[in-house]
Amino acid sequence: ITTSKMIQNLEENHENGFDNGKLSFLPKSSTTCSLHPVVLFEILDHFTRRNADQNRVVGALLGNVSSDGTVSLKNSFPMPHDECEVPDFENFFETMSQLHRKVNAREHLVGWYVTAKADEAGKDEIGEDVVGLQAFFESKVGEKHPCVLLRVDANIQNAEHIGISTYTSVPLVLKNLEKNIGRCFNKVPCSVRTYEAERIGVDFVAQNTIGQGGGEELGSDLEKLESSIQKLVLMMDSTLEHVDAVVEGKVPADSRIGRALAESVASVPTLSPADMEGTFSKGLQDMLMVQYLGSIAQAQLCFWQKLQSMQ
């Protein structure tokens, strides 16, 4: 049993669980999820490389759980769902889990992912065919924390964004028979979290792979540096306009914005114009030297390949 109209009404009226003497389920989970972009890219890559007769792809999610109940989804690996039987499916899972534990013992199984089928594009709901897989991964996760189901709508040919939903499940129990008759899926909050160094790359990929924007080639290091400086200048101009408007009384003051600006100004080292210019010049020269050495190494590699082909 999946989320039906009856169960949805019960959940809306019984946030702390439900028990009418015959049918009962546990309260809603307080779990929240943070999704790393690498996981999203791995799922889309798995979906892109699927067989022509596959409607969806399935895989395991790896990560960790913080003390406040936040589940961090940091890694994943694909599972051959439609091509193998249940014993082979479990053997494949155990083999991949052992390999990942050898690489990074801090990441353990926290859930699994599934992509939406073609006829489910744009729909944010769970089908009955995922209940068996949810039970399998729940048995592997254990009872320490809920098993998270990540549903990704990978049919993005005509979409402006990727549909992402996360769910946990609770058992539906017949009290008279003390029998578990199914599961009730509850949607939990999920946010995409990136490290500061990855944010630029993530934004670039997101803006140039979805929709009808075509594509955009990465520029040279100098072009990217120029673009970053131009964006920095625009942000500083916008900040100065806001500060002037607050001083003149045109815009009400916001203490949060003020603290953020104070922290940003305090993080900038105090340098004279001459020192700043010297530091910038040295950094630019170092970057050009690395680029030059890279070009030399590439030329030598091409020359070596030509020599090998002539022998």
Side-chain angles (χ1 to χ4, degrees):
I1 299 176
T2 58
T3 307
S4 62
K5 293 295 183 182
M6 178 189 70
I7 300 300
Q8 289 177 357
N9 293 332
L10 291 175
E11 288 180 325
E12 292 174 358
N13 297 324
H14 299 86
E15 294 291 333
N16 297 322
F18 176 77
D19 188 348
N20 65 354
K22 297 181 180 180
L23 177 67
S24 66
F25 60 85
L26 297 177
K28 284 188 175 182
S29 173
S30 59
T31 303
T32 59
C33 300
S34 62
L35 176 63
H36 198 277
V38 171
V39 176
L40 187 58
F41 293 152
E42 289 174 346
I43 295 174
L44 294 178
D45 181 70
H46 185 196
F47 183 80
T48 303
R49 299 174 186 272
R50 74 191 188 282
N51 296 330
D53 56 345
Q54 280 187 286
N55 291 324
R56 65 177 184 180
V57 295
V58 172
L61 294 174
L62 304 176
N64 49 56
V65 183
S66 61
S67 58
D68 61 352
T70 301
V71 180
S72 299
L73 310 177
K74 297 182 177 180
N75 203 350
S76 67
F77 60 84
M79 298 286 293
H81 171 52
D82 295 334
E83 297 87 356
C84 62
E85 301 296 331
V86 174
D88 296 332
F89 184 83
E90 185 169 2
N91 292 335
F92 183 88
F93 170 80
E94 295 295 341
T95 302
M96 292 298 295
S97 297
Q98 293 176 4
L99 292 175
H100 277 272
R101 281 195 295 267
K102 291 180 179 179
V103 175
N104 190 350
R106 296 182 179 179
E107 294 180 354
H108 58 272
L109 182 70
V110 294
W112 64 291
Y113 69 81
V114 62
T115 57
K117 297 179 181 179
D119 56 352
E120 298 175 347
K123 299 179 181 179
D124 189 11
E125 58 186 25
I126 294 296
E128 296 183 358
D129 52 351
V130 306
V131 177
L133 288 169
Q134 178 72 7
F136 170 81
F137 283 102
E138 280 186 344
S139 66
K140 300 300 180 181
V141 170
E143 300 180 355
K144 295 181 179 180
H145 58 82
C147 177
V148 176
L149 165 59
L150 172 64
R151 181 183 180 275
V152 179
D153 187 355
N155 303 286
I156 57 175
Q157 287 79 6
N158 299 320
E160 297 181 356
H161 65 279
I162 301 174
I164 301 174
S165 304
T166 50
Y167 301 84
T168 59
S169 64
V170 294
L172 290 171
V173 180
L174 285 176
K175 297 192 67 177
N176 294 338
L177 301 178
E178 297 183 355
K179 182 179 179 181
N180 186 355
I181 63 172
R183 309 204 67 80
C184 177
F185 286 85
N186 299 320
K187 190 173 182 180
V188 297
C190 179
S191 59
V192 179
R193 299 294 178 88
T194 62
Y195 297 112
E196 188 64 25
E198 299 173 333
R199 185 176 56 83
I200 297 176
V202 172
D203 292 342
F204 181 85
V205 172
Q207 293 173 4
N208 290 279
T209 58
I210 300 177
Q212 301 178 357
E216 184 177 336
E217 296 181 357
L218 288 172
S220 63
D221 292 338
L222 290 176
E223 291 175 348
K224 289 184 285 186
L225 178 61
E226 181 183 5
S227 176
S228 298
I229 293 176
Q230 290 176 353
K231 291 181 180 179
L232 178 61
V233 171
L234 292 176
M235 293 172 64
M236 293 179 64
D237 291 340
S238 176
T239 302
L240 290 174
E241 291 178 0
H242 177 78
V243 172
D244 292 339
V246 172
V247 172
E248 295 174 1
K250 299 179 180 179
V251 177
D254 191 332
S255 58
R256 293 177 299 175
I257 297 177
R259 283 194 295 269
L261 291 176
E263 292 175 356
S264 300
V265 173
S267 63
V268 178
T270 303
L271 296 174
S272 63
D275 294 338
M276 183 64 184
E277 184 177 357
T279 303
F280 180 80
S281 178
K282 291 179 181 179
L284 181 60
Q285 291 175 4
D286 292 341
M287 184 180 67
L288 293 175
M289 178 60 69
V290 171
Q291 186 176 7
Y292 174 70
L293 293 176
S295 301
I296 293 177
Q298 184 178 7
Q300 290 180 345
L301 182 60
C302 293
F303 183 69
W304 179 81
Q305 290 177 344
K306 291 291 185 181
L307 291 178
Q308 292 295 323
S309 62
M310 293 174 61
Q311 295 179 357

mmCIF file of all heavy atoms in Angstrom, residues 66-84:
data_model
loop_
_atom_site.group_PDB
_atom_site.id
_atom_site.type_symbol
_atom_site.label_atom_id
_atom_site.label_comp_id
_atom_site.label_asym_id
_atom_site.label_seq_id
_atom_site.Cartn_x
_atom_site.Cartn_y
_atom_site.Cartn_z
ATOM 1 N N SER A 66 23.699 13.079 10.730
ATOM 2 C CA SER A 66 24.177 13.949 11.795
ATOM 3 C C SER A 66 23.344 13.754 13.057
ATOM 4 O O SER A 66 22.323 13.061 13.052
ATOM 5 C CB SER A 66 24.135 15.414 11.346
ATOM 6 O OG SER A 66 22.810 15.791 11.034
ATOM 7 N N SER A 67 23.778 14.400 14.121
ATOM 8 C CA SER A 67 23.098 14.241 15.410
ATOM 9 C C SER A 67 21.689 14.832 15.421
ATOM 10 O O SER A 67 20.839 14.409 16.202
ATOM 11 C CB SER A 67 23.933 14.888 16.519
ATOM 12 O OG SER A 67 24.161 16.259 16.236
ATOM 13 N N ASP A 68 21.432 15.823 14.556
ATOM 14 C CA ASP A 68 20.105 16.437 14.514
ATOM 15 C C ASP A 68 19.137 15.720 13.577
ATOM 16 O O ASP A 68 18.030 16.204 13.333
ATOM 17 C CB ASP A 68 20.220 17.908 14.117
ATOM 18 C CG ASP A 68 20.832 18.094 12.727
ATOM 19 O OD1 ASP A 68 21.298 17.086 12.143
ATOM 20 O OD2 ASP A 68 20.870 19.234 12.240
ATOM 21 N N GLY A 69 19.553 14.582 13.032
ATOM 22 C CA GLY A 69 18.683 13.807 12.167
ATOM 23 C C GLY A 69 18.781 14.125 10.694
ATOM 24 O O GLY A 69 18.044 13.551 9.892
ATOM 25 N N THR A 70 19.685 15.012 10.303
ATOM 26 C CA THR A 70 19.857 15.348 8.890
ATOM 27 C C THR A 70 20.649 14.261 8.183
ATOM 28 O O THR A 70 21.754 13.906 8.602
ATOM 29 C CB THR A 70 20.582 16.691 8.733
ATOM 30 O OG1 THR A 70 19.826 17.714 9.387
ATOM 31 C CG2 THR A 70 20.742 17.051 7.260
ATOM 32 N N VAL A 71 20.082 13.728 7.111
ATOM 33 C CA VAL A 71 20.739 12.685 6.331
ATOM 34 C C VAL A 71 21.464 13.342 5.162
ATOM 35 O O VAL A 71 20.829 13.976 4.314
ATOM 36 C CB VAL A 71 19.727 11.650 5.814
ATOM 37 C CG1 VAL A 71 20.425 10.561 5.010
ATOM 38 C CG2 VAL A 71 18.950 11.043 6.977
ATOM 39 N N SER A 72 22.785 13.193 5.105
ATOM 40 C CA SER A 72 23.595 13.764 4.031
ATOM 41 C C SER A 72 23.791 12.710 2.950
ATOM 42 O O SER A 72 24.366 11.648 3.211
ATOM 43 C CB SER A 72 24.948 14.235 4.564
ATOM 44 O OG SER A 72 24.787 15.238 5.546
ATOM 45 N N LEU A 73 23.313 13.006 1.750
ATOM 46 C CA LEU A 73 23.447 12.096 0.604
ATOM 47 C C LEU A 73 24.670 12.536 -0.191
ATOM 48 O O LEU A 73 24.625 13.520 -0.927
ATOM 49 C CB LEU A 73 22.188 12.146 -0.258
ATOM 50 C CG LEU A 73 20.859 11.982 0.497
ATOM 51 C CD1 LEU A 73 19.681 12.120 -0.459
ATOM 52 C CD2 LEU A 73 20.810 10.662 1.230
ATOM 53 N N LYS A 74 25.776 11.810 -0.035
ATOM 54 C CA LYS A 74 27.061 12.244 -0.581
ATOM 55 C C LYS A 74 27.567 11.399 -1.742
ATOM 56 O O LYS A 74 28.419 11.863 -2.497
ATOM 57 C CB LYS A 74 28.122 12.239 0.532
ATOM 58 C CG LYS A 74 27.844 13.207 1.665
ATOM 59 C CD LYS A 74 28.963 13.179 2.690
ATOM 60 C CE LYS A 74 28.735 14.192 3.799
ATOM 61 N NZ LYS A 74 29.831 14.168 4.793
ATOM 62 N N ASN A 75 27.090 10.180 -1.872
ATOM 63 C CA ASN A 75 27.620 9.296 -2.906
ATOM 64 C C ASN A 75 26.544 8.293 -3.291
ATOM 65 O O ASN A 75 25.519 8.162 -2.620
ATOM 66 C CB ASN A 75 28.876 8.577 -2.399
ATOM 67 C CG ASN A 75 29.770 8.118 -3.540
ATOM 68 O OD1 ASN A 75 29.386 8.159 -4.708
ATOM 69 N ND2 ASN A 75 30.970 7.679 -3.209
ATOM 70 N N SER A 76 26.794 7.564 -4.372
ATOM 71 C CA SER A 76 25.825 6.572 -4.835
ATOM 72 C C SER A 76 26.513 5.575 -5.751
ATOM 73 O O SER A 76 27.623 5.819 -6.225
ATOM 74 C CB SER A 76 24.661 7.251 -5.572
ATOM 75 O OG SER A 76 25.114 7.829 -6.781
ATOM 76 N N PHE A 77 25.841 4.464 -5.976
ATOM 77 C CA PHE A 77 26.286 3.524 -7.011
ATOM 78 C C PHE A 77 25.068 2.875 -7.640
ATOM 79 O O PHE A 77 24.048 2.650 -6.971
ATOM 80 C CB PHE A 77 27.263 2.467 -6.458
ATOM 81 C CG PHE A 77 26.721 1.600 -5.363
ATOM 82 C CD1 PHE A 77 25.966 0.462 -5.650
ATOM 83 C CD2 PHE A 77 26.974 1.900 -4.029
ATOM 84 C CE1 PHE A 77 25.482 -0.348 -4.640
ATOM 85 C CE2 PHE A 77 26.494 1.093 -3.012
ATOM 86 C CZ PHE A 77 25.748 -0.029 -3.316
ATOM 87 N N PRO A 78 25.127 2.580 -8.941
ATOM 88 C CA PRO A 78 23.959 2.052 -9.652
ATOM 89 C C PRO A 78 23.730 0.582 -9.341
ATOM 90 O O PRO A 78 24.640 -0.153 -8.959
ATOM 91 C CB PRO A 78 24.325 2.259 -11.125
ATOM 92 C CG PRO A 78 25.818 2.214 -11.142
ATOM 93 C CD PRO A 78 26.267 2.824 -9.838
ATOM 94 N N MET A 79 22.488 0.159 -9.532
ATOM 95 C CA MET A 79 22.094 -1.228 -9.322
ATOM 96 C C MET A 79 21.409 -1.746 -10.596
ATOM 97 O O MET A 79 20.569 -1.051 -11.176
ATOM 98 C CB MET A 79 21.135 -1.345 -8.145
ATOM 99 C CG MET A 79 21.716 -0.912 -6.812
ATOM 100 S SD MET A 79 22.884 -2.094 -6.140
ATOM 101 C CE MET A 79 21.801 -3.471 -5.801
ATOM 102 N N PRO A 80 21.755 -2.978 -11.034
ATOM 103 C CA PRO A 80 21.127 -3.552 -12.243
ATOM 104 C C PRO A 80 19.745 -4.116 -11.922
ATOM 105 O O PRO A 80 19.566 -5.324 -11.796
ATOM 106 C CB PRO A 80 22.121 -4.648 -12.647
ATOM 107 C CG PRO A 80 22.722 -5.090 -11.363
ATOM 108 C CD PRO A 80 22.788 -3.855 -10.480
ATOM 109 N N HIS A 81 18.776 -3.237 -11.799
ATOM 110 C CA HIS A 81 17.463 -3.651 -11.288
ATOM 111 C C HIS A 81 16.706 -4.531 -12.268
ATOM 112 O O HIS A 81 16.201 -5.597 -11.905
ATOM 113 C CB HIS A 81 16.643 -2.408 -10.951
ATOM 114 C CG HIS A 81 15.212 -2.708 -10.627
ATOM 115 N ND1 HIS A 81 14.843 -3.642 -9.681
ATOM 116 C CD2 HIS A 81 14.052 -2.205 -11.127
ATOM 117 C CE1 HIS A 81 13.527 -3.694 -9.597
ATOM 118 N NE2 HIS A 81 13.031 -2.846 -10.474
ATOM 119 N N ASP A 82 16.601 -4.130 -13.529
ATOM 120 C CA ASP A 82 15.763 -4.842 -14.489
ATOM 121 C C ASP A 82 16.459 -6.017 -15.154
ATOM 122 O O ASP A 82 15.819 -6.797 -15.844
ATOM 123 C CB ASP A 82 15.288 -3.876 -15.587
ATOM 124 C CG ASP A 82 14.371 -2.808 -15.027
ATOM 125 O OD1 ASP A 82 13.731 -3.088 -14.002
ATOM 126 O OD2 ASP A 82 14.304 -1.710 -15.602
ATOM 127 N N GLU A 83 17.779 -6.160 -14.958
ATOM 128 C CA GLU A 83 18.523 -7.176 -15.685
ATOM 129 C C GLU A 83 18.825 -8.426 -14.871
ATOM 130 O O GLU A 83 19.398 -9.375 -15.385
ATOM 131 C CB GLU A 83 19.859 -6.599 -16.191
ATOM 132 C CG GLU A 83 19.706 -5.467 -17.181
ATOM 133 C CD GLU A 83 19.583 -4.124 -16.492
ATOM 134 O OE1 GLU A 83 19.536 -4.120 -15.241
ATOM 135 O OE2 GLU A 83 19.523 -3.107 -17.194
ATOM 136 N N CYS A 84 18.522 -8.468 -13.582
ATOM 137 C CA CYS A 84 18.943 -9.602 -12.767
ATOM 138 C C CYS A 84 17.833 -10.010 -11.807
ATOM 139 O O CYS A 84 16.903 -9.254 -11.532
ATOM 140 C CB CYS A 84 20.208 -9.262 -11.979
ATOM 141 S SG CYS A 84 20.010 -7.917 -10.807
#
